[in-house]
Amino acid sequence: MYIKKETKSLMLRVLILSLALTFLYLPIMTLVVYSFNESKMVTVWTNFSFKWYQALFNNTAIITAVGISLTIAFFSAIASVIIGTLAAFVMVRVHRFFGESAFLLFMTAPMILPEVISGLALLLLFVTLGDIIPVFSDRGMITIWIAHVTFCSAYATVVIRSRLVELDVSIEEAAKDLGAGPMKVFFVIILPAIMPAEIAAFLLSFTMSMDDLVITSFVAGPNSTTLPMLIFSSVRRGLSPEINALASVIVLVVSMFAFGSWILTVRKQKRKERNQALVAAELRKEKAATHQ
Amino acid sequence: MAAVTYGSVKRPGSKGHRPPPRFVPAKKISWRERAIILVPYLWMILFFLIPFLIIFKISFSITEIAIPPYSPIITFEEGAMQIILHLENYTNIFTDPDGTYLRSYLKSIQVAAFSTVLCLIIGYPIAWALATSKSATRNILFLLIIMPSWTSFVVRIYAWMTILKRNGIINDILMTLGIIDSPIHMLQTDLAVYIGIVYCYLPYMVLPLFSALMKVDNSLIEAAQDLGCRPIKTFFKALVPQTRSGIIAGSMLVFIPAIGEYVIPELLGGKDSILIGRILWQEFFNNRDWPLASAVAITMLAIMAIPIIWFFKNQRKSGGKA
């Protein structure tokens, strides 16, 4: 049987992607399914029930941990976006300054360094600084925030930088020629143009901060147990069906965000296409008018 | 065959077409730019560089029952400054009678390397399938591929625990189908560790490969095929060289963090899968031997220095687009 080359390639793509998506989603889906299981035995199905969700929402330790994690993630994401924007700006626009290679290394290394090393390093810093500056002596949300900003800003930099590189410099130069100051150029021209990247960097930093376990464990204090730390300790103690319910809630929230962002990109793309079509129609009209 | 380099040929209007970078003349850096540099620079020096100097310092100390739990290196006695460097931690690591440390370093490198290869083999086809899809479907597929990594990392490992354990889903299905009589031991094995690492690190491999594949010049692939290259040869001669930077970036993003991985071997691995991240954690949290943990970290860094520099150079060349 003769199959066209395009069809073959399409079939191969569908096969690869369906295998990949099965691998990626099967574990998550099993958690979601078993979160509705009445039995305490995590994998023996008995009856459909919302029991574990009730237990989850009545568990004050989990609710407190969620609050702590959300607070840290929010402030980490804000600081990371600010530092990331500045760092990306330096990388793209400022050239040949003292310690440029070191700067680039500092902004890349936190992404790849094993977390046990970064966590230990930061803790030892806080312990050493604690003698001099009292803020660091009692570890808690502030030390976690500093640790999170340090690695999240590296990711934020990558995201913002890739957008900043593509920016057309001529618009900025035109604004400068027309007398706009550097601050005005930044807030009126550059910031709106890189806004999608800023939002992406914020969300990435937020999820990274929400999710971090190892670095946080090193720098956390006794009253700052974050959500991943709580999940980890309860998972290590044994399987608990409440974690299934929690996982399902996390999956629900994340997929709502993902769906929302997908809708936004689709809309933006449609608007862009429509605008392009309108411009093309106008051009055709003009051309026709001049020909007559 | 004559070597033909089409490396810089870009068809105008194709997706990868971009105006050439402007020449930036060396100019004096204004005070405003200095101020911009200073904020991220100082942050990273204070919270990234200095901590490493401190780890290095403490790795030459020894444990003491005190707060902080290590001996001071610099002491003042009778008005004179004394610097005492203890090398015990390093000699312990290298001459441990059981060879625990050296074995776990080797095991970590082996696990990380094998996981990287697995991620590359699994990730490349996924990145290719994504990059060659129509742009509308590509958006949603891309989102679907990276969405699991936005959910909690520990929860994803926990999901594999429920799947792989003794009375878990895989064993249940295989037993009901009558393929096996007694449950297979899967949790707490190296297999489980590999599954966990590949599952969690796959997006880090797919993303750089995908962005490299998006820039591939298809005319080269077509030329290779027209000249009679078989698919495998086309892949290695035309596709791999063009996606080299993506392959390096993805591999390093998996390999380097995987060496120090703690959570996955702790939850999925057995008692024998003592990876170096676990050793560091135990020395720090269980034995409270901070100086030894620091020495373990410094040795780990020394092992990773070459891959880190390689990754860094590659990132610089490709403009940091991971």
Side-chain angles (χ1 to χ4, degrees):
Chain A
M1 200 172 75
Y2 177 76
I3 305 172
K4 255 169 62 185
K5 211 171 110 191
E6 281 84 42
T7 331
K8 235 187 196 165
S9 142
L10 181 72
M11 274 158 57
L12 188 61
R13 271 199 315 256
V14 170
L15 180 74
I16 290 169
L17 287 169
S18 36
L19 283 177
L21 292 177
T22 314
F23 174 60
L24 287 173
Y25 282 90
L26 204 66
I28 298 176
M29 285 308 137
T30 45
L31 282 191
V32 175
V33 169
Y34 279 104
S35 73
F36 296 106
N37 184 8
E38 204 192 348
S39 161
K40 202 179 164 64
M41 293 289 291
V42 175
T43 49
V44 181
W45 182 269
T46 48
N47 264 320
F48 184 89
S49 119
F50 282 114
K51 189 166 131 191
W52 301 116
Y53 287 87
Q54 257 173 357
L56 175 69
F57 290 117
N58 290 326
N59 187 329
T60 43
I62 289 183
I63 302 296
T64 317
V66 169
I68 291 174
S69 279
L70 284 174
T71 316
I72 295 173
F74 178 75
F75 288 107
S76 300
I78 287 185
S80 305
V81 168
I82 293 171
I83 293 180
T85 310
L86 294 174
F89 205 80
V90 171
M91 284 179 185
V92 178
R93 296 294 162 83
V94 186
H95 294 270
R96 286 172 226 159
F97 57 91
F98 177 73
E100 193 178 351
S101 303
F103 184 79
L104 291 177
L105 185 67
F106 291 162
M107 296 313 297
T108 350
M111 286 192 289
I112 48 170
L113 219 59
E115 289 187 297
V116 281
I117 298 183
S118 312
L120 179 66
L122 277 164
L123 174 75
L124 295 178
L125 172 81
F126 294 144
V127 168
T128 313
L129 283 183
D131 295 340
I132 315 159
I133 310 161
V135 177
F136 300 115
S137 60
D138 40 281
R139 291 186 289 281
M141 286 171 77
I142 294 196
T143 47
I144 299 175
W145 173 76
I146 291 172
H148 285 192
V149 172
T150 305
F151 72 86
C152 290
S153 56
Y155 285 95
T157 308
V158 172
V159 174
I160 297 167
R161 183 187 183 187
S162 65
R163 178 85 189 107
L164 209 55
V165 167
E166 288 169 359
L167 218 61
D168 192 358
V169 199
S170 57
I171 304 171
E172 276 167 58
E173 278 167 1
K176 263 184 216 155
D177 288 346
L178 293 170
M183 279 296 179
K184 199 168 181 184
V185 170
F186 180 76
F187 283 105
V188 178
I189 312 281
I190 301 175
L191 197 59
I194 60 172
M195 210 53 199
E198 300 271 314
I199 294 169
F202 180 89
L203 291 176
L204 184 66
S205 307
F206 191 90
T207 46
M208 289 265 170
S209 168
M210 264 318 267
D211 198 20
D212 184 75
L213 167 69
V214 175
I215 294 178
T216 316
S217 300
F218 276 95
V219 298
N223 294 319
S224 55
T225 307
T226 62
L227 187 61
M229 285 166 74
L230 196 74
I231 300 175
F232 182 63
S233 67
S234 78
V235 164
R236 231 192 341 191
R237 263 186 271 124
L239 304 176
S240 121
E242 274 172 53
I243 300 296
N244 287 353
L246 181 65
S248 314
V249 174
I250 294 174
V251 169
L252 182 74
V253 172
V254 166
S255 46
M256 264 165 25
F257 255 98
F259 186 69
S261 77
W262 179 65
I263 294 278
L264 281 183
T265 37
V266 166
R267 265 205 202 147
K268 215 169 85 188
Q269 218 160 16
K270 275 202 179 133
R271 206 184 307 142
K272 206 166 141 194
E273 274 161 21
R274 204 166 50 219
N275 284 349
Q276 274 170 352
L278 279 177
V279 170
E282 282 298 314
L283 282 176
R284 265 202 303 278
K285 253 190 233 163
E286 253 173 52
K287 218 176 181 180
T290 46
H291 271 289
Q292 276 173 358
Chain B
M1 209 159 65
V4 188
T5 46
Y6 284 111
S8 59
V9 174
K10 265 191 188 145
R11 289 168 301 167
S14 73
K15 278 193 199 87
H17 183 71
R18 217 175 275 152
R22 282 162 167 256
F23 173 70
V24 185
K27 56 172 186 206
K28 221 170 163 274
I29 294 162
S30 68
W31 63 269
R32 201 176 266 115
E33 284 172 330
R34 270 173 221 270
I36 293 175
I37 295 172
L38 224 54
V39 177
Y41 212 5
L42 284 183
W43 183 281
M44 286 299 173
I45 285 178
L46 183 57
F47 296 119
F48 190 72
L49 180 67
I50 293 180
F52 282 101
L53 301 178
I54 295 175
I55 285 200
F56 195 62
K57 189 194 105 185
I58 290 171
S59 72
F60 292 108
S61 160
I62 48 168
T63 40
E64 260 180 13
I65 302 170
I67 297 171
Y70 48 83
S71 67
I73 283 182
I74 303 167
T75 48
F76 292 94
E77 243 169 74
E78 292 160 16
M81 195 176 80
Q82 279 190 317
I83 299 177
I84 309 162
L85 294 182
H86 294 271
L87 295 172
E88 286 100 312
N89 298 315
Y90 291 98
T91 47
N92 266 346
I93 290 175
F94 288 105
T95 56
D96 183 65
D98 304 329
T100 324
Y101 299 99
L102 291 183
R103 246 190 299 131
S104 64
Y105 277 116
L106 283 179
K107 175 108 188 178
S108 301
I109 293 172
Q110 176 207 322
V111 168
F114 193 55
S115 309
T116 308
V117 173
L118 283 176
C119 277
L120 194 59
I121 294 171
I122 299 171
Y124 208 102
I126 298 175
W128 172 80
L130 272 180
T132 48
S133 316
K134 278 196 216 97
S135 71
T137 37
R138 193 193 297 141
N139 281 337
I140 186 130
L141 285 171
F142 189 75
L143 208 60
L144 283 173
I145 297 278
I146 57 171
M147 212 181 78
S149 60
W150 294 343
T151 63
S152 169
F153 174 73
V154 193
V155 162
R156 278 178 289 151
I157 302 295
Y158 167 69
W160 278 107
M161 286 169 76
T162 60
I163 292 174
L164 296 175
K165 67 181 174 142
R166 228 184 131 69
N167 50 354
I169 292 151
I170 292 184
N171 275 328
D172 265 6
I173 293 172
L174 292 180
M175 298 259 277
T176 355
L177 291 178
I179 298 171
I180 50 169
D181 299 324
S182 56
I184 314 171
H185 184 63
M186 282 178 293
L187 191 63
Q188 295 174 340
T189 60
D190 282 358
L191 175 75
V193 176
Y194 285 122
I195 292 175
I197 295 183
V198 170
Y199 185 74
C200 289
Y201 285 77
L202 197 58
Y204 293 101
M205 179 64 90
V206 173
L207 289 189
L209 283 178
F210 168 75
S211 69
L213 278 163
M214 289 294 284
K215 286 181 231 151
V216 160
D217 187 357
N218 274 320
S219 58
L220 275 176
I221 317 281
E222 280 156 25
Q225 281 168 342
D226 290 346
L227 292 170
C229 270
R230 285 170 183 284
I232 293 183
K233 201 174 175 188
T234 315
F235 175 74
F236 282 108
K237 292 269 171 180
L239 208 54
V240 169
Q242 286 197 78
T243 51
R244 207 181 101 96
S245 75
I247 294 172
I248 295 176
S251 303
M252 293 302 110
L253 281 175
V254 175
F255 181 72
I256 301 169
I259 289 184
E261 183 56 53
Y262 163 71
V263 181
I264 297 171
E266 175 72 19
L267 292 182
L268 297 177
K271 290 202 171 57
D272 59 322
S273 73
I274 297 292
L275 301 192
I276 200 65
R278 259 176 119 177
I279 296 255
L280 198 158
W281 183 282
Q282 278 165 6
E283 293 297 349
F284 183 83
F285 285 102
N286 305 359
N287 303 344
R288 291 194 69 73
D289 193 339
W290 294 14
L292 185 57
S294 304
V296 168
I298 292 292
T299 316
M300 208 196 298
L301 268 181
I303 293 172
M304 289 182 306
I306 291 165
I308 289 177
I309 291 167
W310 197 31
F311 172 79
F312 175 58
K313 281 197 169 151
N314 177 62
Q315 285 302 95
R316 260 186 107 167
K317 244 192 323 200
S318 63
K321 290 197 79 178

